[in-house]
Amino acid sequence: MSTRALPLQPPVFSILSGLIEERIGLFFAEADAPILADKVTPRAIELGFDSLLDYYYYLRYDAGAEQELEHLADALVVNETYIGRELEQLTVMSDVLLPRLLAERPRLRIWSAACSTGEEPVTVAGLLDDRGLLPRVELVASDVSERALALARKGEFSGRALRSLPSGATRWLRFDGTTARARPELLASVSFRRVNLTDRDEVLGVGPADVIICRNVLIYFRDSRIKQVVQGLCDALRPGGYLLVGASESLLRFGGALRCEEHGGAFFYRKEAT
Ligand SMILES: C[S@@+](CC[C@H](N)C(=O)[O-])C[C@H]1O[C@@H](n2cnc3c(N)ncnc32)[C@H](O)[C@@H]1O
């Protein structure tokens, strides 16, 4: 049975949604107030609060709030993803961009920067393995949600995660009834960690990457926040490296240091080589 949402008056909505945007990046418009109340209420109740204003004060000022922000992120994020999502872009990356980069250096680092429950990095690992590139690539995958990361580390997929399987996926996964498991070598090639994209230090702490895949997360941010996150990702890219965003997440309106390139019908943002 779902918990009845605690009241979220406009002034409390304003400060609470502002704090969430500041710390996690997610933007909630005023019209989304009932959705936000629904998602936040179970967290507030679990901590023993009967008002969302008290919960806000806890989040803003209490010493234990950092940990609670992680739980709150788990409750707020949208983890929608599936094996083979927006595959063309990843295929072109593997067939066109990676060979070019590998001509310049022996090993590459690819970072799936909002990997959700792991379907994206497993897809990338599978594509690389198909092409014999996996030994030359270090794969890092991160998300702000520990809950999503715990599932990603298991490498088990079912239901909607398998709804649009590319033909090659039978080489990447072992099927057992309605569940599929990533091949252990593919899963072992990915190192998972928690990174909040709005935290510049955490982003830079991942270390320089040749390719950053940051897809279908910027849609949840406002432009000012997207600009800041993209700047951090650009700083984390090696010169000449590529940023991949989702099909509906054009960065053209921001200008900046990344140049948009089209290859094989897919779009990529390239940091200038120095
Ligand atoms: C819709 S999923 C996209 C997954 C995958 N990249 C794809 O395209 O299928 C969005 C993911 O972004 C993550 N996310 C949201 N805010 C984030 C933040 N501030 N830092 C890192 N990840 C975040 C969510 O936890 C969620 O797993």
Side-chain angles (χ1 to χ4, degrees), residues 24 77-81 85 114 116 120 143 196-197 215-216:
I24 313 172
V77 292
V78 176
N79 291 132
E80 162 73 6
T81 185
R85 186 176 193 180
S116 187
E120 183 175 270
D143 201 278
N196 182 348
L197 292 171
R215 308 194 305 174
N216 303 304

Side-chain angles (χ1 to χ4, degrees), residues 103-183:
E104 292 162 14
R105 49 190 86 127
R107 272 182 72 75
L108 300 177
R109 187 153 213 251
I110 300 179
W111 174 21
S112 166
C115 72
S116 187
T117 39
E119 288 80 345
E120 183 175 270
V122 165
T123 302
V124 172
L127 289 170
L128 297 180
D129 190 50
D130 287 348
R131 289 156 180 78
L133 297 177
L134 201 52
R136 297 185 65 190
V137 174
E138 180 191 350
L139 268 177
V140 181
S142 67
D143 201 278
V144 74
S145 164
E146 284 290 1
R147 182 175 46 83
L149 284 170
L151 291 169
R153 287 186 182 102
K154 283 191 174 167
E156 278 183 19
F157 309 104
S158 58
R160 290 176 60 76
L162 305 176
R163 70 178 179 270
S164 183
L165 282 184
S167 52
T170 49
R171 288 188 298 276
W172 314 337
L173 304 169
R174 299 274 179 261
F175 291 85
D176 179 7
T178 54
T179 302
R181 283 189 182 77
R183 263 182 34 229

Side-chain angles (χ1 to χ4, degrees), residues 4 23 40-41 63 92 116 122 133-134 153 209 220 242 270:
R4 180 179 242 190
R23 301 288 169 83
V40 173
T41 291
V92 174
S116 187
V122 165
L133 297 177
L134 201 52
R153 287 186 182 102
Y220 301 106
Y242 292 92
R270 184 163 202 210

